Amino acid sequence: MKGKIPKAIRPEEFKRLIQQVPTKDLIARISFLLAYGSGMRISEVLRCQREHFKGNTIFIPESKYGVERIVPIPKGWRDYFIKELPLKITIRTLQRRFDKYKKKAKFPDYYTFHSLRHGFATRLLEAGTPINQVQVLLGHSNISTTSIYIKANPIDAIKSYEELF
């Protein structure tokens, strides 16, 4: 699948995934929630520290390409999760854990940990969040990277046109 965009995990699928994760597996629960609910990359999840939490946001001091950004604390975050940070797991082990739970949730093989981040972006755009705001939350330097998430629908385009004119 090299070079292809991973599919976005839908809200009902995320719920199914989390249902497969035992309550005691806090590392999986926290990491999946941060990726899906805040749009964090796997490396950002693993570098996340307690002091990065400020109010209702998470400060990401060094994301991909050294860019700093702020993301929302995800819905479903629990105060007791913070004491688990930083998460003590390697990227590869976390990817394997995701693969284990995705199989239990009966997800297709093409889903990856990064599909959680894609789910975050897709949900924002489908809810009407302006693309430039999604770009900022994802930490993309170029809007064309963010535009991958936009699915052009001719019926929506005509409806928008009719509403304007």
Side-chain angles (χ1 to χ4, degrees):
M1 269 222 32
K2 198 168 182 119
K4 291 192 177 181
I5 303 298
K7 292 279 190 189
I9 290 181
R10 312 297 308 162
E12 63 279 3
E13 292 172 320
F14 182 72
K15 185 177 179 184
R16 208 166 76 225
L17 176 69
I18 288 298
Q19 288 171 343
Q20 300 307 313
V21 181
T23 309
K24 67 181 186 339
D25 190 351
L26 284 176
I27 288 177
R29 286 181 169 269
I30 291 168
S31 60
F32 297 174
L33 183 61
L34 288 172
Y36 184 76
S38 296
M40 294 170 73
R41 296 175 180 95
I42 194 167
S43 60
E44 297 165 346
V45 167
L46 295 183
R47 284 196 312 266
C48 193
Q49 305 284 328
R50 295 174 192 184
E51 57 270 16
H52 294 164
F53 286 71
K54 304 267 192 279
N56 62 349
T57 62
I58 304 168
F59 174 67
I60 301 172
E62 202 174 304
S63 64
K64 198 171 180 182
Y65 312 117
V67 176
E68 292 181 347
R69 72 182 206 278
I70 295 172
V71 296
I73 292 177
K75 285 185 171 57
W77 183 259
R78 302 290 176 252
D79 290 338
Y80 64 88
F81 288 171
I82 201 106
K83 73 179 187 322
E84 301 297 322
L85 298 176
L87 299 175
K88 308 237 183 333
I89 191 169
T90 65
I91 285 178
R92 189 65 202 120
T93 303
L94 184 52
Q95 288 169 329
R96 282 191 190 111
R97 206 170 288 183
F98 176 83
D99 289 344
K100 174 178 132 181
Y101 293 127
K102 88 173 179 191
K103 281 182 180 59
K104 286 185 170 194
K106 298 186 176 17
F107 285 1
D109 286 341
Y110 54 74
Y111 277 150
T112 65
F113 188 93
H114 202 70
S115 300
L116 295 164
R117 176 173 156 87
H118 283 266
F120 172 77
T122 300
R123 281 190 350 266
L124 285 173
L125 288 167
E126 287 177 351
T129 305
I131 192 167
N132 62 318
Q133 291 179 15
V134 176
Q135 176 190 8
V136 168
L137 289 172
L138 292 175
H140 292 157
S141 57
N142 193 325
I143 198 90
S144 65
T145 307
T146 314
S147 69
I148 291 166
Y149 300 102
I150 298 174
K151 295 178 185 80
N153 181 334
I155 294 166
D156 289 344
I158 290 169
K159 186 178 169 192
S160 294
Y161 170 83
E162 288 172 346
E163 288 172 4
L164 286 172
F165 297 97

